Amino acid sequence: MSSVLTIRGGVPLSGRVTVRGAKNLVPKAMVAALLGDEPSVLRNVPDIKDVEVVTSLLRLHGVEVGRDTAGGNLTLDPANARTAHVADIDAHAGDSRIPILLCGPLIHAIGEAFIPDLGGCRIGDRPIDYHLGVLRQFGAVVDKRPGGISISAPKGLKGAKISLPYPSVGATEQVLLSATKADGITELTGAAIEPEIVDLIAVLQKMGALISVQSDRTIRIEGVPSLGGYTHTALPDRNEAASWGCAALVTKGDIFVEGALQRDMMTFVNTFRKLGGGLEIRDDGIRFFHKGGKLEPLVVETNVHPGFMTDWQQPLVVALTQAEGVSIVHETVYENRFGFTEALRRMGATIQVHRECLGSVPCRFGQRNFLHSAVISGPAELKGAEFDVPDLRGGFSHIIAALAAEGTSRATGVDVIKRGYEHFTAKLEGLGAQFDLEEVAA
């Protein structure tokens, strides 16, 4: 069965929503528990699909996971970690890319790991070459087998000097999870320094890891022979918070996002304000609202932290369809993230995508024939349409466009949104959205 939303647009979203722990941190902190000799406790955990997937994968590998869904708490005890059957891993992993991050911890815990062929949102190539290259530098042996990859380290993982050609979040996480118990010192240059990375470092440090972060994107890890457990409250999900902010603006509404943290959203806050959105920043969250005037066009370029997040780009594009004038968005993180604009054009948006770098600086996709720049002309009168949700952020963006559109829209494949947005239909209902939810045969 799959979920279908029939949305009746034109109603401003107004009210209060709460965001819990970040999708881009919580599953990784769960994996980190495998490194400990003692149980761990993770708090502020959202009820999302990615947490379900990692819970299943950890249980397959012998980790005892206790889950208080309502309270947002997890207990993870790795005392009986073991090898899991290949078919079971494949069945439980689904389209998640999280299994690749199990490699280092599993090698430390049981001496080997098997990773099935990986899926995920179709927003770019996102190869696992970085991950496999990192593991090889630690001394791991990587063998391609039917259905996936077998990884082992007969002599254990050893510290290494690693330089990333691009500050990949996933590869940085792989280094952190592999290096903490590796023999010797690891120096990682060109590291990602997103808030979720810093929070993962905090988790590992609580367990007893020796990790220092330099101002030049260099991370130094001194391997230790053993780690304990941790008790940690996950940082809030800045991507979900930004999505609700854009939803308030697009629907001419007023939403208070409880849990939104200004510190990690400064670039988004600046952009939102330049666009003409209203903001009230409080200690317990951020209120996003439409001030009643016109919205201003912008030139925006996505980048790694502290730049404008790629995950903020898609809901922002929907908001820019309502700005008076021409806006430009240059995507420099993922090469194929403008596929979602096709549905927006069918709704009446005027969006052109280009192969050229239309930002201030040429990016790594400039000579590779990817449609990675968008020109948005507005304001557009959006009309209801039928569409299939393409990916997590693009799907949520389609939903808020439909909520702002005149008439009725029908969205299929909305289950993918559950990967990263906790109880999103219940939150929409609480904000006054008009829709019907039905389950149909997949």
Side-chain angles (χ1 to χ4, degrees), residues 9-137:
V11 179
L13 298 185
S14 181
R16 186 185 189 99
V17 297
T18 300
V19 296
R20 291 206 276 190
K23 168 191 173 292
N24 289 345
L25 176 276
V26 168
K28 292 66 178 290
M30 293 172 66
V31 170
L34 260 174
L35 293 163
D37 297 329
E38 301 166 345
S40 293
V41 177
L42 185 59
R43 299 197 172 106
N44 200 30
V45 176
D47 183 17
I48 58 176
K49 184 65 175 178
D50 274 17
V51 171
E52 293 179 15
V53 169
V54 180
T55 296
S56 296
L57 288 170
L58 290 176
R59 285 173 174 163
L60 278 178
H61 287 91
V63 178
E64 184 177 328
V65 182
R67 188 175 178 189
D68 169 17
T69 301
N73 299 314
L74 286 177
T75 57
L76 306 111
D77 187 349
N80 298 312
R82 61 176 184 268
T83 302
H85 192 276
V86 170
D88 291 336
I89 298 173
D90 196 23
H92 283 79
D95 61 1
S96 172
R97 291 174 178 264
I98 293 296
I100 190 66
L101 293 176
L102 288 166
C103 293
L106 282 174
I107 290 171
H108 287 305
I110 59 177
E112 62 181 349
F114 181 86
I115 306 303
D117 291 331
L118 301 177
C121 291
R122 297 184 296 276
I123 57 175
D125 193 24
R126 307 214 308 186
I128 63 170
D129 294 351
Y130 282 0
H131 293 270
L132 300 181
V134 162
L135 291 164
R136 288 189 179 99
Q137 287 181 266

Side-chain angles (χ1 to χ4, degrees), residues 184-196:
I185 295 173
T186 296
E187 184 178 89
L188 173 65
T189 57
I193 54 171
E194 270 66 10
E196 295 82 8

Side-chain angles (χ1 to χ4, degrees), residues 11 18 36-37 104 110 149 154 161 206 228 246 317-318 342 351 424 426:
V11 179
T18 300
D37 297 329
I110 59 177
I149 300 167
K161 282 184 175 283
K206 286 180 177 181
C246 290
V317 165
V318 182
E342 180 184 348
I351 303 173
F424 85 99

Side-chain angles (χ1 to χ4, degrees), residues 169-242:
V169 169
T172 300
E173 292 164 341
Q174 186 69 257
V175 171
L176 290 170
L177 292 168
S178 299
T180 48
K181 292 177 70 173
D183 182 18
I185 295 173
T186 296
E187 184 178 89
L188 173 65
T189 57
I193 54 171
E194 270 66 10
E196 295 82 8
I197 291 287
V198 175
D199 213 37
L200 179 59
I201 290 173
V203 167
L204 294 168
Q205 194 174 56
K206 286 180 177 181
M207 300 175 76
L210 298 172
I211 306 173
S212 60
V213 183
Q214 311 301 320
S215 60
D216 62 351
R217 292 186 177 273
T218 297
I219 298 178
R220 189 173 187 270
I221 307 108
E222 298 180 43
V224 296
S226 64
L227 294 171
Y230 65 79
T231 297
H232 187 77
T233 300
L235 84 171
D237 196 312
R238 59 197 176 120
N239 296 332
E240 183 180 357

Side-chain angles (χ1 to χ4, degrees), residues 15-23 26 43-48 70-72 196 233-245 255-262 264-265 283-288 312 393 396 420-424 427 431:
R16 186 185 189 99
V17 297
T18 300
V19 296
R20 291 206 276 190
K23 168 191 173 292
V26 168
R43 299 197 172 106
N44 200 30
V45 176
D47 183 17
I48 58 176
E196 295 82 8
T233 300
L235 84 171
D237 196 312
R238 59 197 176 120
N239 296 332
E240 183 180 357
S243 296
W244 289 119
I255 302 174
F256 180 73
V257 184
E258 182 180 8
L261 189 61
Q262 175 196 10
D264 296 336
M265 298 184 68
D283 289 343
D284 61 340
I286 302 176
R287 175 189 169 210
F288 299 93
W312 297 335
R393 307 298 171 191
F396 192 89
Y421 291 90
E422 182 182 44
H423 306 155
F424 85 99
K427 290 178 181 179
L431 293 170

Side-chain angles (χ1 to χ4, degrees), residues 8 13 53 93 134 168 198 251 257 281 310 322 338 360 404 412 428:
R8 295 176 291 280
L13 298 185
V53 169
V134 162
S168 161
V198 175
T251 65
V257 184
I281 301 170
T310 181
Q322 303 308 300
F338 283 123
S360 59
T412 57
L428 286 175

